[in-house]
Amino acid sequence: MPKNPNDVIKDLKAGKFSPVYFLEGEEPYYIDLITKIIEETAIPEHERSFNQLAIYGKDANMGIVLNNARKFPMMAERQLVVIKEAQSLPDWGNDGVSELLVKYLESPLPSTILVFAYKYKKIDGKTLLGKALNKHAVYVRSEKVADYKMREWVEAYIKETGHQIDAKAATLLADSIGNNLEVMTNEISKMLINFKEPTQITTDHISKYVGINKDYNNFELLKAIGYRNAYKANQIIQYFSQNPKNHPIIPLFSLIYFYFRQLILIHEHKAQTADQVASVLKMNPFIAREYLAVSRNYNLGKIIEVFKHIREADLRYKGVGSGSMTDAEILRDLVYKILH
């Protein structure tokens, strides 16, 4: 079974290293983070010039990789060989080459740490190589975090830093930045350097240090739509139209769709209390109270209409029947149809 990235990171920070690491997946954040930690901690700085090697997949082949892995360190305990963009190795997946790698995995050189950073793809776990990696290597699969899980991810990440964040602030970050973990962690880091003591992060902090307007953002637009507040929704759309690069329309379609998909689940499960909604949607009861109230504003028939309007808006964005409509006009038309 692939190992949890956070468990691997804990081992590395404790100085526990293994002979082979295979880091794969569509989410590059954990692949880059684990690789960076290994590069910064596995080999003492004064030994790196002779015993730390980075090889880029497109510039090498498996023979070069394994020849370097089998070398002994120079006057040191171990060496590090990192294969960056390993998915670009031209002979990756060839039967003969896979057999060579399997043989190495079965008996790796103890003085070498070999790291494969295999981005944006997954190997077939049913193959001989896949089984060997799973058995003999530290095998990490870095999956994309689903949009609906980003709030929980933000809360957990900030908790690990020694701080806390309230549910509304975590939702604001998740809805505004999305599931790009590199961007998310960079923005959080820039914010947290302003706090010397453990702090409870609020929307005011995010507005001040991250630059997300706490009154005009994706979260507030969804809330205005949910409560059928046409005036506030149009204010936010007007604000977005003045900053189109910071408020692309396509992610908004996804957010609105997911928002109403959540409302359907509430209706399907006949949830009548905030606790029931929290259980169905797997969310904090504080946020669930809002969803419960909003679900009473939209019956199933109306929600089905909303999905049709979202599809129509998406087609318009792609140039189908849009004429000369701007992104802001497409969004404004979509919200008008949802609210009326």
Side-chain angles (χ1 to χ4, degrees):
M1 290 290 291
K3 295 186 179 296
N4 185 296
N6 289 317
D7 291 338
V8 175
I9 290 169
K10 288 178 183 177
D11 285 344
L12 293 173
K13 289 183 176 180
K16 299 176 183 178
F17 298 97
S18 297
V20 183
Y21 292 84
F22 187 78
L23 318 172
E24 69 160 21
E26 297 176 358
E27 174 51 67
Y29 171 74
Y30 285 111
I31 297 173
D32 290 337
L33 179 59
I34 291 172
T35 300
K36 181 181 179 182
I37 293 172
I38 294 174
E39 288 177 322
E40 292 180 349
T41 60
I43 307 297
E45 188 171 1
H46 66 276
E47 296 178 0
R48 291 175 191 168
S49 57
F50 294 105
N51 294 301
Q52 186 160 315
L53 176 65
I55 299 173
Y56 284 85
K58 64 183 178 62
D59 300 325
N61 57 48
M62 193 62 72
I64 292 174
V65 170
L66 296 180
N67 284 339
N68 279 282
R70 291 191 178 100
K71 290 180 180 179
F72 289 95
M74 293 184 62
M75 297 177 290
E77 178 186 354
R78 59 189 171 214
Q79 69 159 345
L80 171 63
V81 180
V82 179
I83 317 304
K84 299 190 175 185
E85 307 291 343
Q87 75 280 0
S88 298
L89 283 165
D91 52 355
W92 186 276
N94 294 354
D95 290 341
V97 170
S98 295
E99 290 176 9
L100 290 174
L101 180 54
V102 169
K103 289 180 180 178
Y104 182 83
L105 292 170
E106 291 173 344
S107 184
L109 192 67
S111 57
T112 293
I113 298 174
L114 177 60
V115 180
F116 289 95
Y118 191 88
K119 292 183 177 180
Y120 312 116
K121 293 183 178 182
K122 299 176 185 178
I123 64 163
D124 185 350
K126 297 179 181 179
T127 62
L128 182 65
L129 176 57
K131 292 176 181 178
L133 285 167
N134 197 33
K135 182 177 180 180
H136 300 292
V138 174
Y139 181 22
V140 175
R141 179 169 291 168
S142 184
E143 303 277 14
K144 279 283 187 184
V145 179
D147 289 332
Y148 73 92
K149 291 184 177 180
M150 274 306 298
R151 179 184 59 81
E152 294 176 7
W153 190 94
V154 169
E155 291 175 340
Y157 180 83
I158 289 181
K159 185 176 180 180
E160 288 179 3
T161 68
H163 300 274
Q164 301 289 331
I165 185 169
D166 65 43
K168 187 175 182 179
T171 302
L172 175 57
L173 275 177
D175 287 349
S176 300
I177 296 177
N179 67 347
N180 186 319
L181 300 188
E182 181 179 4
V183 174
M184 179 67 77
T185 53
N186 285 341
E187 293 299 327
I188 290 174
S189 296
K190 287 190 293 185
M191 174 175 60
L192 296 184
I193 61 174
N194 295 282
F195 309 120
K196 295 180 180 179
E197 301 293 334
T199 303
Q200 176 80 8
I201 307 300
T202 66
T203 54
D204 287 332
H205 293 129
I206 293 170
S207 180
K208 181 176 180 180
Y209 297 116
V210 182
I212 299 172
N213 191 304
K214 66 178 183 179
D215 297 314
Y216 299 99
N217 54 68
N218 296 347
F219 176 78
E220 291 298 326
L221 177 59
L222 290 177
K223 186 175 180 179
I225 291 172
Y227 284 103
R228 291 184 175 273
N229 187 336
Y231 178 74
K232 181 64 179 288
N234 281 300
Q235 278 188 316
I236 296 171
I237 294 170
Q238 179 61 27
Y239 176 80
F240 285 0
S241 71
Q242 296 169 354
N243 304 272
K245 290 184 178 180
N246 294 330
H247 303 282
I249 192 171
I250 285 296
L252 276 170
F253 291 161
S254 298
L255 286 172
I256 295 170
Y257 174 86
F258 180 73
Y259 188 71
F260 280 92
R261 183 70 186 91
Q262 299 287 71
L263 299 185
I264 278 190
L265 291 175
I266 294 173
H267 286 299
E268 286 180 345
H269 288 82
K270 296 181 171 56
Q272 300 294 322
T273 68
D275 286 340
Q276 290 174 342
V277 172
S279 177
V280 169
L281 302 184
K282 296 179 175 56
M283 62 171 50
N284 187 295
F286 172 80
I287 302 295
R289 285 196 294 272
E290 178 181 313
Y291 274 86
L292 178 61
V294 168
S295 70
R296 293 164 180 158
N297 291 334
Y298 294 92
N299 59 36
L300 280 173
K302 178 60 179 177
I303 294 173
I304 292 171
E305 287 183 14
V306 168
F307 290 153
K308 292 179 181 177
H309 297 324
I310 294 171
R311 176 172 172 74
E312 179 185 51
D314 181 60
L315 289 172
R316 281 182 170 175
Y317 173 78
K318 294 172 181 174
V320 180
S322 61
S324 59
M325 292 178 72
T326 65
D327 288 2
E329 289 169 340
I330 293 172
L331 179 60
R332 187 175 287 109
D333 181 71
L334 169 61
V335 173
Y336 176 85
K337 289 176 178 176
I338 291 173
L339 297 178
H340 296 83

